[in-house]
Amino acid sequence: MRVLLTGSSGWLGRYLAPLLAENGHEVTGLDVVPGAHTQVLGTVADRALIDRTMGEHGIEAVIHAGALHKPDIVRYSRQAFIDVNVSGTLNLIEAAVAAGNDRFLFTSTTSLMVRDDVRGGAAPDGAWWMDEDFGPLAPRNIYGITKLAAEQACQLVHREHGIAALILRTGRFFPEDDDTLAVPSGLNLKANELLHRRLTVEDAAAAHLAALEAAPQIGCDTFILSAPPPFSRDEAGDLASDARAVIARHYPEAEAFYAARGWVLPDHIARVYDPSRAERRLGWRAKTDFGSVLAALASGTPLPFAHDPDYTSPIVAQESDLCMC
């Protein structure tokens, strides 16, 4: 299948493009900055470029993974977020319909589910259990607002034209340090997050491949992508009050492995992402979870996730290079 992949120079794109190619797909990458998997330079906000690319490359399916993200809020206006995240998504799915494509994937984010009260801590009765039916949705910044609007645009075009449109709300998979959380940080934080809100970039790429194959049979649906949490809903209260005790029930060895590394387990977990719908409907389950971390700590092998505190997104790197000229 001839696939248009936006965001092909980004973190996900560098893993997803070769995975698609390995599975027999012909990939055309589109991004605003050059990259190893990018053939078309330009913005998704340029409808003429999108139409031309669809025709010249005979595109049969679109994976829209390009976007302005939360860290870009300090660099770009709200209008830029609307142009790229909303208008760009509409440009792509309308062009896909015009080209006769039968499937469209939209890479969204669990961030749009994090309202102010969710951001502030646990629910009154325990940790927020966040599946695709969680609501009401009230994104707290322009990033979340535009991603939610783009999701709704995909659903609208599906209803009107029948194109299969799958929305993939990814948990965290970025390699750099968190821009707001400092303690714990780095590897310790990423390991902790695999309990409830993170997945590896490799697993994110694999989920997109599974969704591409399943889309025509599903039609339209939304999926949370995260490592499977070891917890159940009835543990939500205990997670909010004493997460270490809950973790010890599932992984009694965790405390000792963490202590040997100088790490700390979370005292409280305020929200848990539930990816079970993706397993049921897409046949996808993240290969890396918290148990994978403990296995690596036990064996002394490398940790099963990427961590690069110096990672800079391609668009930021390009802007820095221009400023230095």
Side-chain angles (χ1 to χ4, degrees), residues 94 97 156-164:
E94 288 185 340
V97 168
L156 173 66
V157 175
H158 162 74
R159 291 195 300 270
E160 292 181 342
H161 298 282
I163 184 171

Side-chain angles (χ1 to χ4, degrees), residues 21 24 29 55 59 75 78 93 100 116 129 162 201 221-222 231 235 238 314:
I59 299 302
R75 294 185 290 271
R78 289 177 175 176
I93 194 167
D116 285 338
W129 197 270
V201 67
D221 205 350
T222 300
F231 317 118
E235 293 177 302
D238 290 340

Side-chain angles (χ1 to χ4, degrees), residues 8 70 128 292:
S8 50
K70 176 177 171 285
W128 301 97
S292 307

Side-chain angles (χ1 to χ4, degrees), residues 14 98 142 214 221 226 236 245 253:
R14 70 179 64 179
I142 193 63
D221 205 350
S226 188
E253 72 279 23

Side-chain angles (χ1 to χ4, degrees), residues 11-17 19-20 63 168 170 173 199-211 225 284:
W11 180 242
L12 176 60
R14 70 179 64 179
Y15 288 86
L16 180 52
L19 180 64
L20 291 167
I63 301 177
L168 307 179
T170 64
F173 60 83
L199 75 166
T200 66
V201 67
E202 294 89 350
D203 280 330
H208 282 71
L209 177 63
L225 305 183
W284 170 86

Side-chain angles (χ1 to χ4, degrees), residues 28-242:
T28 298
L30 185 150
D31 207 308
V32 292
V33 295
H37 306 291
T38 297
Q39 292 77 40
V40 180
L41 285 176
T43 173
V44 294
D46 184 345
R47 178 59 187 266
L49 173 66
I50 298 303
D51 289 338
R52 187 166 62 251
T53 300
M54 297 290 291
E56 291 178 353
H57 294 270
I59 299 302
E60 299 171 298
V62 176
I63 301 177
H64 180 27
L68 289 180
H69 297 279
K70 176 177 171 285
D72 295 316
I73 291 175
V74 299
R75 294 185 290 271
Y76 293 95
S77 67
R78 289 177 175 176
Q79 186 61 55
F81 273 81
I82 293 170
D83 293 343
V84 173
N85 292 359
V86 183
S87 297
T89 302
L90 191 59
N91 285 340
L92 285 160
I93 194 167
E94 288 185 340
V97 168
N101 291 185
D102 68 346
R103 69 199 76 185
F104 183 93
L105 303 187
F106 176 58
T107 308
S108 190
T109 173
T110 53
S111 178
L112 63 81
M113 302 166 64
V114 183
R115 306 181 305 242
D116 285 338
D117 57 341
V118 175
R119 179 74 171 177
D125 58 350
W128 301 97
W129 197 270
M130 304 181 76
D131 60 15
E132 293 82 359
D133 297 321
F134 177 83
L137 300 178
R140 67 190 188 281
N141 54 41
I142 193 63
Y143 171 53
I145 288 169
T146 54
K147 294 297 272 189
L148 179 56
E151 286 189 3
Q152 293 169 336
C154 292
Q155 293 163 351
L156 173 66
V157 175
H158 162 74
R159 291 195 300 270
E160 292 181 342
H161 298 282
I163 184 171
L166 300 193
I167 296 161
L168 307 179
R169 289 182 183 167
T170 64
R172 294 177 157 210
F173 60 83
F174 55 78
E176 65 267 37
D177 283 327
D178 187 274
D179 60 353
T180 57
L181 298 176
V183 181
S185 62
L187 294 168
N188 190 171
L189 178 61
K190 286 183 170 64
N192 288 357
E193 287 177 339
L194 279 170
L195 283 163
H196 64 111
R197 63 181 301 194
R198 175 172 284 274
L199 75 166
T200 66
V201 67
E202 294 89 350
D203 280 330
H208 282 71
L209 177 63
L212 182 67
E213 296 171 350
Q217 290 73 44
I218 292 174
C220 186
D221 205 350
T222 300
F223 299 94
I224 288 174
L225 305 183
S226 188
F231 317 118
S232 61
R233 281 180 184 260
D234 59 10
E235 293 177 302
D238 290 340
L239 285 170
S241 61
D242 189 357

